[in-house]
């Protein structure tokens, strides 16, 4: 009898999973057992599971095996927004807003309308912004330790667009981009769009494993290293000065460019100097105002080395020309009059209060977080599969993100990332109590 083809094995498993014959959480045969059972090569068995994983049907866990994945849609990088019950809380995304920000926006728009030439806001700005607006951002960045001339600031429609333009300018398809093994999901999306080869760097409790990064740079031609050294997403670490110095030295020794994401850096009241201050000639700094001001204010900026400014500006011009004039006027006005600084101070206080509530509500569980951050990494027991936990919580009206969304390599930790900014502060303890009860109800 002719052995089944590779594709037939994939199709048979896919059909069994989709029909419900193989239930979520079912442990599948080991790679060797599958090879024997289906009379295929071991490498072919591994390819079968890789294709099933790419289709979102199974998940492999190092040391435990391969399992049928819960396909409810409430796990991964873009969880379904439609819940089977009334929504209780969205802990999958951070969208911090102060109660008075709507009125603040109303006043700002009135002031813009009453300006001497409001029609100027409707005219096309130069790609990357005009010099006056860039200068406002450059002054703001001084307080973050980024000392740069206005002409090196490129204004964009959010931090994600800033990161996109930097990667467009810096890399070519096939280039190696070193990233944390657990990190910001948006980098995975951009790497896939640009055809980059993601090289995950193992993480420790205090930051990326810099010994592993050094070995990677010796073994492969790493073009750039993406890093979030101050209030990391999702693990919350702040790299100490020695780690930052070593990271800058590694980049110099191996000819890498550092891409420093400062999105959450404002939450650390007294951070060490940014990487940009240590190695401005090889660091692209990117950040925006979505977390410290408002998620709907899509305004960001990139500060590349001088020789990369034309390429980053050209990438922005090709993609979207630049940040909209009205948004730029709002953002730079709030930067200049101190509104952003005041909002950042309130965000730090609010995030610290939420962390205290979370640590009390989740006492005894495995929690990793910065003490003044809106992010919390919740470790799960071995039997509490993240995809299943996400589905159980969705049935309780609670949205979360699973570790899958943040994993850049094969390691898929048993963990959830909780975004604490959404629920009202007075309701957060109750939401987390419900979350804890739901997760602990998952049977072994």
């Amino acid at each position: 009898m002719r052995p089944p083809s590779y594709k037939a094995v994939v199709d048979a498993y896919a059909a069994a999973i989709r029909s419900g014959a193989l239930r979520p959480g079912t442990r599948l045969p080991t790679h060797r057992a599958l090879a024997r059972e289906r009379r295929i090569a071991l490498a072919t068995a591994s390819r079968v599971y890789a294709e099933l994983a790419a289709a979102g049907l199974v998940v492999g866990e190092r040391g435990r095996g391969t399992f049928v994945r819960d396909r409810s849609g409430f796990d991964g990088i873009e969880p379904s927004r439609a819940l089977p019950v009334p929504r209780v809380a969205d802990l999958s995304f951070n969208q911090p807003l102060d109660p008075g920000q709507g009125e603040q926006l109303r006043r700002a728009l009135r002031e813009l309308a009453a300006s001497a030439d409001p029609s100027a806001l409707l005219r096309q700005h130069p790609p990357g912004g005009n010099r006056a607006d860039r200068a406002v951002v450059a002054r703001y960045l001084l307080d973050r330790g980024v000392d740069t001339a206005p002409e090196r600031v490129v204004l964009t429609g959010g931090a994600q667009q800033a990161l996109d333009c930097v990667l467009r300018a810096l890399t070519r398809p096939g280039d190696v981009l070193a990233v944390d093994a657990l990190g910001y999901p948006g980098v995975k999306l951009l790497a896939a769009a640009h055809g980059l080869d993601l090289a995950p760097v193992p993480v420790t409790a205090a930051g990326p494993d810099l010994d592993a990064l050094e070995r990677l740079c010796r073994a492969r031609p790493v073009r750039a290293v993406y890093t979030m050294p101050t209030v990391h997403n999702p693990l919350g670490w702040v790299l100490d000065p020695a780690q930052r110095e070593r990271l800058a030295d590694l980049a110099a020794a191996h000819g890498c460019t550092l891409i420093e994401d400062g999105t959450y850096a404002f939450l650390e009241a007294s951070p060490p100097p940014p990487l940009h201050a240590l190695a401005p000639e090889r660091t692209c700094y990117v950040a925006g105002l979505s977390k410290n001001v408002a998620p709907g204010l899509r305004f960001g900026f990139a500060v590349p080395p001088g020789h990369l400014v034309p390429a980053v500006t050209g990438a922005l011009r090709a993609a979207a020309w630049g940040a909209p004039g009205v948004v730029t006027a709002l953002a730079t006005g709030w930067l200049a009059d101190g509104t952003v600084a005041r909002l950042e101070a309130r965000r730090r206080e609010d995030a610290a209060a939420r962390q205290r509530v979370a640590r009390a509500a989740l006492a005894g569980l495995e929690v990793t977080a910065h003490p003044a951050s809106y992010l919390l990494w919740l470790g799960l027991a071995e039997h509490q599969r993240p995809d299943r936990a996400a589905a159980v919580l969705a049935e309780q009206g609670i949205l979360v993100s699973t570790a899958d969304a943040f994993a850049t390599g094969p390691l898929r930790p048993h963990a959830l990332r909780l975004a604490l900014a959404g629920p009202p502060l007075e309701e957060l303890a109750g939401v987390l109590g419900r979350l804890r009860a739901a997760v602990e109800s998952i049977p072994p």
Side-chain angles (χ1 to χ4, degrees):
M1 179 178 176
R2 185 179 181 181
S5 69
Y6 146 74
K7 184 62 175 172
V9 179
V10 173
D11 291 345
Y13 269 107
I17 292 169
R18 292 185 173 117
S19 69
L22 285 174
R23 304 286 298 170
T26 299
R27 187 195 300 266
L28 300 180
T30 66
H31 292 221
R32 291 187 183 278
L34 177 65
R36 287 195 304 269
E37 175 187 317
R38 300 285 180 155
R39 298 171 60 193
I40 56 179
L42 179 59
T44 303
S46 297
R47 187 177 178 187
V48 167
Y49 283 155
E51 290 244 348
L52 291 170
L57 298 175
V58 304
V59 58
E61 297 178 9
R62 186 172 296 175
R64 297 190 72 237
T66 303
F67 297 83
V68 176
R69 188 172 183 174
D70 189 302
R71 300 179 62 247
S72 63
F74 298 106
D75 67 313
I77 197 167
E78 292 290 347
S80 169
R81 316 313 296 168
L83 293 171
V85 296
R87 181 171 300 189
V88 172
D90 187 347
L91 303 180
S92 65
F93 291 102
N94 271 320
Q95 301 201 44
L97 280 177
D98 282 2
Q101 282 191 251
E103 185 56 38
Q104 192 174 54
L105 174 62
R106 192 191 308 276
R107 290 196 301 270
L109 290 173
R110 285 172 177 162
E111 290 170 5
L112 289 178
S115 63
D117 184 14
S119 63
L121 302 177
L122 302 177
R123 299 192 183 103
Q124 186 166 275
H125 288 198
N130 61 45
R131 194 182 192 286
D133 292 331
R134 295 184 190 205
V136 171
V137 174
R139 285 195 295 272
Y140 163 74
L141 286 172
L142 276 175
D143 289 336
R144 291 199 180 185
V146 177
D147 188 355
T148 187
E151 55 267 23
R152 292 197 178 186
V153 177
V154 181
L155 306 185
T156 66
Q160 181 75 359
Q161 188 177 76
L163 181 56
D164 181 31
C165 292
V166 165
L167 288 174
R168 285 178 185 271
L170 186 62
T171 65
R172 296 294 178 267
D175 281 351
V176 178
L177 176 65
V179 294
D180 297 324
L182 291 170
Y184 170 53
V187 173
K188 294 197 296 184
L189 297 176
L190 290 174
H194 297 311
L196 303 180
D197 185 357
L198 279 185
V201 177
V203 297
T204 71
D209 183 338
L210 296 182
D211 289 336
L213 176 60
E214 184 170 12
R215 290 192 295 271
L216 171 66
C217 290
R218 287 175 176 169
R220 303 186 65 190
V222 175
R223 182 72 181 92
V225 179
Y226 169 82
T227 182
M228 192 177 282
T230 307
V231 190
H232 180 268
N233 177 13
L235 299 177
W237 67 52
V238 176
L239 300 188
D240 64 32
Q243 290 171 301
R244 294 168 190 246
E245 289 279 3
R246 186 177 178 196
L247 190 50
D249 290 344
L250 280 174
H254 296 280
C256 306
T257 298
L258 298 172
I259 302 174
E260 181 176 13
D261 190 334
T263 297
Y264 283 102
F266 73 95
L267 289 168
E268 172 59 51
S270 301
L275 294 170
H276 187 277
L278 303 177
E281 75 287 353
R282 63 176 60 256
T283 302
C284 296
Y285 186 92
V286 299
L289 300 187
S290 63
K291 305 304 180 186
N292 49 354
V293 178
L297 187 68
R298 302 308 303 168
F299 181 81
F301 35 86
V303 184
H307 68 279
L308 276 178
V309 171
V312 173
T313 305
L316 175 65
R317 181 175 185 172
W321 193 273
V326 174
V327 172
T328 298
L330 277 171
T332 55
W334 282 341
L335 286 166
D337 69 10
T339 296
V340 172
R342 290 189 292 273
L343 284 171
E344 288 179 344
R346 291 208 292 270
R347 293 279 190 273
R348 284 191 290 271
E349 293 176 0
D350 181 56
R354 289 170 184 272
Q355 284 290 341
R356 291 192 292 270
V357 169
R359 288 181 179 273
L362 304 174
L365 302 183
E366 183 186 333
V367 169
T368 302
H370 183 278
S373 169
Y374 286 117
L375 309 173
L376 185 145
W377 189 253
L378 178 63
L380 302 175
E382 281 299 306
H383 70 277
Q384 295 165 335
R385 297 175 45 73
D387 55 331
R388 181 58 185 151
V392 168
L393 288 167
E395 292 166 0
Q396 299 287 323
I398 300 173
L399 275 170
V400 296
S401 297
T402 68
D404 273 11
F406 304 89
T408 57
L411 180 64
R412 296 293 191 269
H414 274 225
L416 303 175
R417 196 212 65 173
L418 309 183
L420 304 178
L425 181 58
E426 62 274 13
E427 297 177 12
L428 183 60
V431 168
L432 294 177
R434 291 182 63 169
L435 178 145
R436 178 174 188 154
V439 169
E440 291 180 339
S441 72
I442 299 174

